Amino acid sequence: MIRKQQPQGARRKFMQLALAAGGAAALPWLTPAQAQTSAALTAAGDKGTRLILLGTKGGPTPSALRAAPANVLLIDGQPYVVDCGNGVAQQLVKAGIKLPQIRDIFLTHQHSDHNADLGNLVLLAWATGLATPVQMYGPPGMRRMMDDFVRMNALDIAVRIKEEGRPPLRPLIKTHEFSGPRVVLENDQVKVTAALVDHYTLKPAFAYRFDSKDRSVVFSGDTAYNDNLIRLAKGADVLVHEVMYLPALEKLMRTVDNAPTLLDHLVKSHTSTAQVGLVAARAGVKTLVLSHFVPGGDPAITDDMWSAEARQQFSGEIIVGKDLMVI
């Protein structure tokens, strides 16, 4: 049987419709007050600052409940990515963000749940059409990571340059390493300030504050209770803060193999549900967004359980974060 070939115009029309359908997926599980469709978020001329929680689970182990840590701020339609846990590119696409738009990436610290897909995000954006530089900001080690990453993927990169006509990848990756507090970036959209936080033995670890024309948003990174973070977050509109639910840690330890000192690490590296409310209250923020949940793969921990102790300390708005939530 010989299948009749479609006319060229019909095939082109089919592809246009397919691409349009794929890019118009909405996010129906978000409440109207906190969510907009992906089409609205990426519309031309979109103004203002919107926060999207790409992944809200703490720790490197995969979970069906939450994706790995990552966030993105859309400022006048331009994405600013904070942390790159496993699957960040897929989460950005689900949020309606085109990967070649990526221009600035901020890394809070060098833990695998935050940096696992740092290189992959740029590689996948490049394979999707990226031709402009990507600026990476964060602690020392990024430059070497990117050099090693490009070497690891040298065969794939070379083939795509030769067969697909893509530009060389490594010149597009610009790293900016620092070890102390500073203004990291300032342009006509936003001022980004970094402060040192306390992530036990992993140093340096940073929190970031983004001050745009209409909002101020702070990301705690991974930290125990920390006065530097409180000073950084003073008066912010939104504080996205990691959180740990202490009563669930005993149950978590029963499921973990070959990590006899993990409990000690968790207690010394993270902020409890009660402490996070105190941080928000002392910083005087308007909205506290709980994220980077530890343990983040336990469906028995309800939203009320995550927020109850924080509410005893903080009288402002508290949002228990979900993957792909828009705030």
Side-chain angles (χ1 to χ4, degrees), residues 23-277:
L27 310 177
W29 53 90
L30 304 180
T31 63
Q34 296 174 340
Q36 300 176 37
T37 65
S38 59
L41 286 171
T42 56
D46 182 44
K47 297 297 181 182
T49 302
R50 295 170 179 83
L51 164 66
I52 306 178
L53 308 178
L54 298 173
T56 57
K57 179 187 177 295
T61 54
S63 168
L65 190 62
R66 297 178 184 274
N71 302 277
V72 63
L73 271 183
L74 281 177
I75 303 177
D76 296 338
Q78 176 62 44
Y80 294 81
V81 179
V82 180
D83 284 331
C84 293
N86 181 37
V88 61
Q90 185 67 42
Q91 294 299 98
L92 283 162
V93 171
K94 287 180 180 179
I97 296 172
K98 297 177 181 179
L99 297 185
Q101 286 182 272
I102 301 301
R103 186 185 66 191
D104 298 283
I105 301 173
F106 301 83
L107 193 65
T108 59
H109 64 289
Q110 298 285 11
H111 245 166
S112 58
D113 52 331
H114 294 255
N115 68 13
D117 271 8
L118 181 63
N120 273 335
L121 175 55
V122 181
L123 178 67
L124 295 172
W126 175 77
T128 314
L130 176 75
T132 52
V134 175
Q135 312 292 333
M136 295 183 177
Y137 307 88
M142 290 191 307
R143 186 175 299 109
R144 180 176 176 182
M145 284 176 62
M146 292 303 99
D147 288 341
D148 291 344
F149 179 84
V150 170
R151 280 194 290 268
M152 181 180 73
N153 291 280
L155 179 60
D156 176 77
I157 294 169
V159 168
R160 296 189 187 281
I161 291 173
K162 180 179 179 180
E163 297 184 357
E164 301 174 17
R166 303 197 180 277
L169 175 61
R170 186 61 184 92
L172 298 180
I173 304 173
K174 310 295 185 181
T175 55
H176 308 274
E177 299 180 350
F178 48 94
S179 298
R182 66 181 58 199
V183 173
V184 175
L185 172 68
E186 190 165 11
N187 60 27
D188 60 351
Q189 291 181 326
V190 67
K191 177 182 178 181
V192 185
T193 308
L196 286 168
V197 291
D198 180 13
H199 197 35
Y200 194 24
T201 62
L202 202 159
K203 302 179 186 300
F206 294 106
Y208 291 108
R209 177 175 179 136
F210 290 73
D211 288 292
S212 66
K213 294 174 183 176
D214 62 316
R215 291 178 97 184
S216 50
V217 180
V218 177
F219 299 91
S220 72
D222 281 13
T223 183
Y225 177 95
N226 187 263
D227 287 331
N228 290 341
L229 174 60
I230 292 173
R231 286 190 288 269
L232 182 73
K234 279 289 183 183
D237 293 306
V238 179
L239 170 60
V240 183
H241 203 299
E242 67 129 80
V243 65
M244 177 174 60
Y245 186 62
L246 292 174
L249 294 186
E250 182 179 355
K251 177 182 176 182
L252 174 66
M253 291 305 105
R254 292 198 297 267
T255 68
V256 174
D257 297 322
N258 302 318
T261 59
L262 175 59
L263 180 59
D264 179 68
H265 158 76
L266 292 176
V267 172
K268 293 177 180 177
S269 300
H270 297 288
T271 306
S272 71
T273 51
Q275 290 173 324
V276 73

Side-chain angles (χ1 to χ4, degrees), residues 277-307:
L278 190 58
V279 171
R282 290 184 173 174
V285 302
K286 295 177 182 177
T287 299
L288 170 63
V289 179
L290 302 180
S291 190
H292 194 281
F293 296 95
V294 178
D298 187 347
I301 308 174
T302 66
D303 286 3
D304 285 342
M305 293 162 72
W306 283 117
S307 61

